[in-house]
Amino acid sequence: MADVELDPDTERYAYSPKALARLVLSYELRELADRAAVGVSTGSDDYAEPGEEVGDALALVHQAQEVLTRAVIFERAKGTSWEAIAEQMEMKRQSAHERYREAEQTWKNALHEPFNPLPPGARPTYEYLRLHEAAYAPIAAGRSLDEWAEEHGKGEHAVTGGLPTLSLLDEMGQLLDGLKYLYRDMYKRPDPVARLRLTERKAALLDRIAIEEGRPEAAVQAEEARALAAQLRAEIEGTA
């Protein structure tokens, strides 16, 4: 899918980091299950290259290691201590922390910066995606995982039905954190497209808060956000 162009969106802000980490874990578990299932059949044994089964088994081990890493990240997103994780892995706390701390930090950074640096003039595609695709597009990932689970007898919404949900105010908090992150470097101009996307989502979210929470001041703030979004869009189109 490296040639599929992505439209940078903000749907992941409607999910908590814990929910996104769980989606990614489910995604990798599905990949492991599907890959393992291929090896169950004996129909192609007579045509396999020497050592091919060993290579396939090794690929499963590598996939299982990815599942383990994603499980650790999910547990950390849940608030699980390194001590508890280390106990399950039958190792010392320091060893578990040293083994997985970089993966955890990479995950946290990617939530705010989903793409690796793009070459001049390049458009964001899966080739440059730093954040796991299930976390970048959680709605599509959840739908796909639900379908897979239902096909395997787990019932409807077996994946998305158990994900933790955010209140409107919690979602707004995440969105504001995302906007704040854009200004983390005082010497660097915030990405105008990212700022536009977040501002547009902020306006839509404020509309919902005004209606669902009965807060008329949020409607005024939504209009202000829309005006800012229009200004940002005009600036972007003027420099295109």
Side-chain angles (χ1 to χ4, degrees):
M1 298 197 308
D3 59 342
V4 178
E5 183 173 307
L6 298 179
D7 184 18
D9 57 48
T10 57
E11 68 180 53
R12 66 186 178 280
Y13 286 99
Y15 295 75
S16 68
K18 180 169 70 172
L20 293 175
R22 187 61 176 91
L23 269 177
V24 172
L25 175 57
S26 293
Y27 182 102
E28 293 299 335
L29 283 165
R30 179 186 65 181
E31 294 297 298
L32 178 61
D34 285 345
R35 179 171 288 182
V38 172
V40 174
S41 173
T42 61
S44 61
D45 285 2
D46 291 340
Y47 310 101
E49 295 292 330
E52 186 173 331
E53 295 297 336
V54 174
D56 290 344
L58 183 60
L60 283 175
V61 171
H62 291 160
Q63 182 66 34
Q65 288 293 340
E66 178 65 15
V67 168
L68 179 56
T69 297
R70 294 300 176 176
V72 170
I73 291 172
F74 171 58
E75 288 289 347
R76 291 292 296 159
K78 286 170 56 180
T80 303
S81 68
W82 284 112
E83 287 81 1
I85 291 171
E87 182 179 353
Q88 290 293 324
M89 300 184 71
E90 299 181 347
M91 62 173 59
K92 294 182 178 179
R93 177 201 178 280
Q94 182 177 353
S95 297
H97 180 252
E98 290 178 353
R99 181 176 297 185
Y100 294 104
R101 64 181 176 184
E102 183 176 350
E104 182 190 20
Q105 190 58 52
T106 297
W107 160 257
K108 290 180 177 179
N109 292 342
L111 286 173
H112 288 296
E113 295 183 279
F115 290 98
N116 289 306
L118 303 179
R123 299 287 295 174
T125 65
Y126 276 98
E127 179 183 0
Y128 302 108
L129 193 60
R130 174 190 296 166
L131 183 63
H132 193 287
E133 62 183 277
Y136 181 79
I139 294 176
R143 185 182 304 116
S144 174
L145 288 165
D146 277 342
E147 291 173 355
W148 184 91
E150 187 171 3
E151 289 172 359
H152 289 75
K154 301 300 181 182
E156 295 184 354
H157 309 297
V159 176
T160 59
L163 293 177
T165 58
L166 288 177
S167 69
L168 289 176
L169 295 180
D170 286 339
E171 184 178 342
M172 178 60 75
Q174 286 202 157
L175 197 61
L176 294 177
D177 285 343
L179 282 166
K180 182 179 178 181
Y181 186 83
L182 294 179
Y183 291 89
R184 68 194 181 283
D185 187 346
M186 62 182 297
Y187 300 105
K188 183 180 179 182
R189 182 172 179 265
D191 179 359
V193 175
R195 188 182 174 202
L196 170 62
R197 296 286 181 178
L198 289 173
T199 302
E200 288 177 333
R201 188 174 187 94
K202 179 182 177 182
L205 195 54
L206 284 166
D207 280 334
R208 290 183 58 196
I209 292 174
I211 296 172
E212 298 178 27
E213 301 287 336
R215 299 178 62 171
E217 71 277 10
V220 176
Q221 295 170 347
E223 288 300 323
E224 294 173 349
R226 266 190 290 274
L228 176 57
Q231 178 184 336
L232 290 170
R233 184 173 295 279
E235 292 175 359
I236 292 170
E237 293 174 350
T239 58

